Amino acid sequence: MLAPLPRTARDGALLAVADALVARAPEIVEANAQDVAKARASGTSESIVDRLTLTTERIEAIASDVRDVVALPDPVGELVRGSTLPNGLELRQIRVPFGVVGIIYEARPNVTVDAAALCLKSGNAVLLRGSSSAYASNTALVGVLRDAVAEAGLPADVVQLVPGESRESVGELMRARGLVDVLIPRGGASLIRTVVEESTVPVIETGVGNCHVYVDADADLDMAVRILINAKASRPSVCNAAETLLVHADTAEEFLPRALKALAEAGVTVHGDEAVQRFSGVCDATIVPATDEDWETEYLSYDIAAAVVPDLDAAVRHIRRWSSGHSEAIITRSQPAARRFTQLVDSTTVLVNASTRFTDGSEFGFGAEIGISTQKLHARGPMGLPELTSTKYVVTGDGHIR
Amino acid sequence: MLAPLPRTARDGALLAVADALVARAPEIVEANAQDVAKARASGTSESIVDRLTLTTERIEAIASDVRDVVALPDPVGELVRGSTLPNGLELRQIRVPFGVVGIIYEARPNVTVDAAALCLKSGNAVLLRGSSSAYASNTALVGVLRDAVAEAGLPADVVQLVPGESRESVGELMRARGLVDVLIPRGGASLIRTVVEESTVPVIETGVGNCHVYVDADADLDMAVRILINAKASRPSVCNAAETLLVHADTAEEFLPRALKALAEAGVTVHGDEAVQRFSGVCDATIVPATDEDWETEYLSYDIAAAVVPDLDAAVRHIRRWSSGHSEAIITRSQPAARRFTQLVDSTTVLVNASTRFTDGSEFGFGAEIGISTQKLHARGPMGLPELTSTKYVVTGDGHIR
């Protein structure tokens, strides 16, 4: 009988997981070394090898993250709304776990523990399907998780690694409607597209971020440069990094030379439209001519597309046409412009005078993040623990009939 | 530029729709007569013909429902949550329309107007794909809707009937990912299954209701009979009607003779397990032997499956195995039993001492209902206007970078 586990049981299991990760770090590092050796042998880039690598220190950091999850408020059992109906029926809408959550993800083995911890905390069982390139690491990690969970008195099967390294297991997961309640793909655009298109299990689409920074006519240009460089260059490989700069025509002459200089200093290649190309040569800026492909590309690198737009509405039209709907920022001192931009732009997160890099569960104060939903159904934007739950209604009467 | 329409514009359009429906009732009735004649000619049952039929009175009732929708609170722009982050960033989560909602539905032409009204009220455009058997009626109704909406100053295209009567148009709707934001099928189990399995557009699954009434050892038996008959026989064709009766073994001897008598008087055929069959012949009750098929069938007719269970946990196991997860009721005087049942049963709605017939948007005080979601993602149970919206985050700073 699968009663929702009380918080103490779930938290106890997570604390046992954190302890076990630290205690058994050597065997995890050993398993990880196999994956790393295989990756190196097949010529994988050092940046990907680095993301794959686990060290004792990194495992301790992962364990510490698990302890942070334990401390978060419990979403299970939360009363979402309640009322007494005119006929005296008592109506309560209560948060309940989804049941079984499937996570399909790429290279980084720390996701194995993060995702499992968030699912357990929210009362769900979790089916993990990591990258075959991290299979030895994931097998070791899930072994530790299952042992710890079982020792804490929960069924080990609340955490399961989907067996095998083949692509078939992904297909089986996507067709497990009725067994798996929701599937969350985390990774590159092609993985996410495949899951979204082929899954019969309900999916929460995550992560592709073609984010825009729009510098309005009435912007504080120092602020605009600061935010642009932060949004583009502080961590180009993440989904909330900016990929396109849009500049109001009235401010292009003054802003672009400064922006291009700062981008060049940060090592960013600019893919500019004709108006932007006119500034080629300013302060050693390299400007590659932009094509439509640039407007829709999520570079995830030290590249940015840039265009001059006649006004705010044109910026909004550009965003509506090309954005992946993740995060868009406006830099402006004009209250009407800020209001119009936040009303017209329909993305998970619209920012005023702030970097797109803030679209993040930890930054939003959610304490943890299972991903950033870019779909409109169920959850939109950074997802914390409540987004890993459903609800049910409990209706209490004393013999009520219709 | 598609700014969310202000409430006054949406409400004005809906009032114009209500007026136009009444004013143009004769042409709607005339178009409907074609559908009715075609249905009769092809030997459609009178109960279905009745559901298809529109009269001036029924059109006036539909128009009155539209006016009721106008009076409902506006979900668009609602602040779902908000806070100021430690770094001073102001975070607001705001309700926004989905964008384009697709509704695929069967015979009843009143759904055309109901669904369009709820979508417009919540700021969405709506694509309607009704049954080919109601094509003339739906064409007339949508014509009236579009004219009224346009006269009120909104684009007529916020309401569109998917052209053609072929099944291909359903397929196109299901593959319109990126153009249609969510698809809601309303109708029989096979329609819903097809949409759920084949759509690449996110779907909200609705409606199949294999609902259970469980009579506990400690039930008030008068109440139990009253609720059972209400749940089964007050309107057997709807999804919140009861389809299976489960009786605690300790109360079977006393309860079943009374229940079987009342069911027989209400014209209900009982499909019983062996324990129930022992009561065959009591008070002229007709008891057909039940098979596993009965446990999973949504009869939607004057039939009910019935079984005796050894205890509450066995009732819960039966429900977990066979229920469609719609609505389940327990009749009991025991507080621990009520608590255990509401905790263990994971359906959209769990009722204590109340009829399953209460699972309904109007009964819940939502004012209107686009359907009853039986999935766990996004919405679960009766869906009102807020369930027809998504959210976005608006983040405001003064030059914040990470």
Side-chain angles (χ1 to χ4, degrees):
Chain A
M1 190 70 57
L2 265 174
L5 295 162
R7 171 162 185 174
T8 45
R10 286 176 274 132
D11 286 357
L14 286 173
L15 290 173
V17 162
D19 291 345
L21 285 169
V22 174
R24 293 171 64 179
E27 67 186 274
I28 297 166
V29 169
E30 200 182 308
N32 179 252
Q34 298 171 36
D35 289 333
V36 168
K38 229 169 72 181
R40 283 231 168 78
S42 67
T44 307
S45 76
E46 271 311 302
S47 73
I48 302 227
V49 168
D50 180 59
R51 292 172 67 177
L52 181 61
T53 303
L54 291 173
T55 61
T56 304
E57 291 69 37
R58 286 183 178 184
I59 292 167
E60 279 167 4
I62 292 170
S64 164
D65 287 345
V66 172
R67 289 196 182 91
D68 290 346
V69 168
V70 173
L72 292 174
D74 186 4
V76 180
E78 189 198 337
L79 186 68
V80 179
R81 56 178 160 180
S83 62
T84 301
L85 302 177
N87 58 9
L89 274 179
E90 184 187 299
L91 179 70
R92 286 180 293 150
Q93 186 182 27
I94 292 166
R95 234 177 243 301
V96 294
F98 272 128
V100 179
V101 176
I103 316 266
I104 302 180
Y105 55 105
E106 293 182 328
R108 292 205 284 181
N110 62 310
V111 173
T112 306
V113 182
D114 286 355
L118 291 171
C119 289
L120 284 185
K121 177 73 186 178
S122 52
N124 295 292
V126 62
L127 281 176
L128 298 157
R129 208 298 179 180
S131 164
S132 59
S133 66
Y135 193 66
S137 315
N138 289 338
T139 303
L141 286 166
V142 170
V144 171
L145 289 170
R146 288 170 58 90
D147 290 350
V149 160
E151 266 168 48
L154 265 56
D157 281 349
V158 296
V159 182
Q160 289 186 60
L161 188 67
V162 175
E165 303 177 47
S166 71
R167 289 199 73 82
E168 276 161 44
S169 63
V170 177
E172 281 169 31
L173 202 50
M174 293 193 295
R175 288 186 299 273
R177 192 177 177 89
L179 300 173
V180 179
D181 293 289
V182 58
L183 214 49
I184 305 177
R186 285 181 58 167
S190 102
L191 167 73
I192 291 165
R193 200 178 321 113
T194 302
V195 175
V196 159
E197 284 176 5
E198 297 180 14
S199 178
T200 58
V201 174
V203 171
I204 301 179
E205 188 176 352
T206 66
V208 176
N210 177 12
C211 304
H212 295 70
V213 172
Y214 165 63
V215 179
D216 192 38
D218 198 11
D220 174 331
L221 298 190
D222 288 334
M223 183 195 287
V225 170
R226 208 161 59 236
I227 288 177
L228 170 66
I229 297 303
N230 182 263
K232 176 67 255 182
S234 62
R235 204 169 159 204
S237 64
V238 293
C239 63
N240 58 18
E243 307 291 8
T244 299
L245 165 67
L246 300 172
V247 181
H248 192 293
D250 290 354
T251 198
E253 207 70 41
E254 196 185 346
F255 176 67
L256 272 175
R258 294 172 58 181
L260 294 171
K261 177 167 182 287
L263 286 167
E265 284 169 3
V268 176
T269 303
V270 174
H271 305 245
D273 70 353
E274 280 187 28
V276 173
Q277 287 170 49
R278 287 199 301 108
F279 295 89
S280 192
V282 170
C283 325
D284 304 321
T286 315
I287 303 178
V288 183
T291 65
D292 276 358
E293 211 190 315
D294 287 292
W295 308 133
E296 70 179 355
T297 296
E298 187 193 23
Y299 297 111
L300 299 174
S301 62
Y302 286 94
D303 292 84
I304 194 165
V308 173
V309 291
D311 53 25
L312 185 145
D313 281 11
V316 171
R317 278 194 298 272
H318 182 108
I319 289 168
R320 282 187 172 256
R321 170 143 188 219
W322 298 109
S323 171
S324 63
H326 190 296
S327 298
E328 335 292 349
I330 182 174
I331 321 300
T332 189
R333 274 182 299 223
S334 156
Q335 165 62 17
R339 180 167 155 88
R340 186 158 177 85
F341 190 83
T342 54
Q343 282 182 340
L344 293 187
V345 171
D346 188 26
S347 295
T348 79
T349 309
V350 188
L351 305 105
V352 179
N353 295 334
S355 169
T356 55
R357 295 275 289 106
F358 283 106
T359 304
D360 174 272
S362 297
E363 292 295 328
F364 277 15
F366 299 169
E369 178 187 289
I370 193 80
I372 295 175
S373 166
T374 50
Q375 75 181 24
K376 293 183 182 172
L377 208 65
H378 183 73
R380 198 170 186 215
M383 292 187 284
L385 290 171
E387 283 74 21
L388 281 174
T389 64
S390 183
T391 58
K392 71 178 175 192
Y393 287 101
V394 174
V395 179
T396 308
D398 34 44
H400 285 67
I401 58 171
R402 274 180 81 180
Chain B
M1 190 70 56
L2 264 174
L5 296 163
R7 169 162 187 174
T8 45
R10 287 177 273 133
D11 285 356
L14 287 173
L15 290 173
V17 162
D19 291 345
L21 285 169
V22 174
R24 293 171 64 180
E27 67 185 273
I28 298 167
V29 170
E30 199 183 308
N32 179 251
Q34 299 171 34
D35 290 332
V36 168
K38 229 170 71 180
R40 282 233 169 76
S42 66
T44 306
S45 77
E46 272 310 303
S47 74
I48 302 230
V49 168
D50 180 60
R51 292 172 68 178
L52 181 61
T53 303
L54 291 174
T55 61
T56 305
E57 291 69 36
R58 286 183 179 186
I59 292 167
E60 279 166 3
I62 292 170
S64 162
D65 287 344
V66 172
R67 288 194 184 93
D68 290 344
V69 168
V70 173
L72 292 175
D74 186 5
V76 180
E78 188 198 337
L79 185 68
V80 178
R81 57 178 160 180
S83 62
T84 301
L85 302 177
N87 59 10
L89 274 179
E90 185 187 298
L91 179 70
R92 285 179 294 150
Q93 186 182 25
I94 292 166
R95 235 177 242 300
V96 295
F98 272 127
V100 179
V101 176
I103 315 265
I104 303 180
Y105 55 104
E106 292 181 330
R108 294 206 281 182
N110 63 312
V111 173
T112 306
V113 182
D114 286 354
L118 291 171
C119 288
L120 284 185
K121 176 74 186 180
S122 51
N124 295 292
V126 63
L127 281 176
L128 297 158
R129 207 296 177 183
S131 164
S132 59
S133 65
Y135 193 67
S137 316
N138 288 338
T139 304
L141 286 166
V142 171
V144 172
L145 289 170
R146 287 171 59 89
D147 290 350
V149 160
E151 267 167 48
L154 264 52
D157 281 348
V158 296
V159 182
Q160 289 186 60
L161 188 67
V162 175
E165 303 177 47
S166 71
R167 289 199 75 82
E168 277 161 45
S169 63
V170 177
E172 280 169 32
L173 202 50
M174 293 193 295
R175 287 185 301 272
R177 191 177 176 90
L179 300 172
V180 179
D181 293 288
V182 58
L183 214 48
I184 304 176
R186 283 181 59 167
S190 103
L191 167 73
I192 291 165
R193 200 178 322 112
T194 303
V195 175
V196 159
E197 283 176 6
E198 296 180 13
S199 178
T200 60
V201 174
V203 171
I204 300 179
E205 187 176 352
T206 67
V208 175
N210 177 12
C211 304
H212 295 70
V213 172
Y214 165 62
V215 179
D216 192 39
D218 198 11
D220 174 331
L221 298 189
D222 287 335
M223 182 195 290
V225 170
R226 207 161 60 236
I227 288 178
L228 170 66
I229 297 304
N230 181 263
K232 175 68 256 182
S234 62
R235 205 170 160 204
S237 65
V238 291
C239 63
N240 59 19
E243 306 291 8
T244 298
L245 165 68
L246 300 172
V247 181
H248 192 293
D250 291 354
T251 198
E253 209 70 41
E254 195 183 347
F255 176 67
L256 272 175
R258 295 171 57 180
L260 294 171
K261 177 166 183 286
L263 286 167
E265 284 169 4
V268 176
T269 302
V270 174
H271 305 245
D273 69 353
E274 279 187 27
V276 173
Q277 287 170 50
R278 286 199 300 110
F279 296 88
S280 192
V282 171
C283 324
D284 303 322
T286 314
I287 304 178
V288 182
T291 66
D292 276 358
E293 212 190 316
D294 288 292
W295 308 132
E296 69 179 359
T297 296
E298 187 192 23
Y299 297 111
L300 300 174
S301 62
Y302 286 93
D303 292 84
I304 194 165
V308 173
V309 291
D311 54 26
L312 183 145
D313 281 12
V316 171
R317 276 193 299 272
H318 182 107
I319 289 168
R320 283 188 172 254
R321 171 145 187 217
W322 299 109
S323 171
S324 63
H326 191 297
S327 298
E328 335 292 350
I330 182 174
I331 320 302
T332 188
R333 275 182 297 223
S334 156
Q335 165 62 15
R339 180 168 156 87
R340 186 159 178 85
F341 190 82
T342 55
Q343 283 183 340
L344 293 187
V345 171
D346 189 26
S347 295
T348 81
T349 309
V350 188
L351 306 104
V352 179
N353 295 335
S355 169
T356 54
R357 296 274 290 106
F358 283 106
T359 304
D360 174 273
S362 298
E363 292 294 328
F364 278 14
F366 299 168
E369 177 187 289
I370 193 80
I372 294 176
S373 165
T374 49
Q375 73 181 25
K376 293 184 183 173
L377 209 66
H378 184 72
R380 198 169 187 215
M383 292 187 286
L385 290 171
E387 283 74 21
L388 281 174
T389 64
S390 183
T391 58
K392 71 178 173 191
Y393 286 102
V394 175
V395 179
T396 308
D398 33 45
H400 285 66
I401 59 172
R402 275 180 79 182

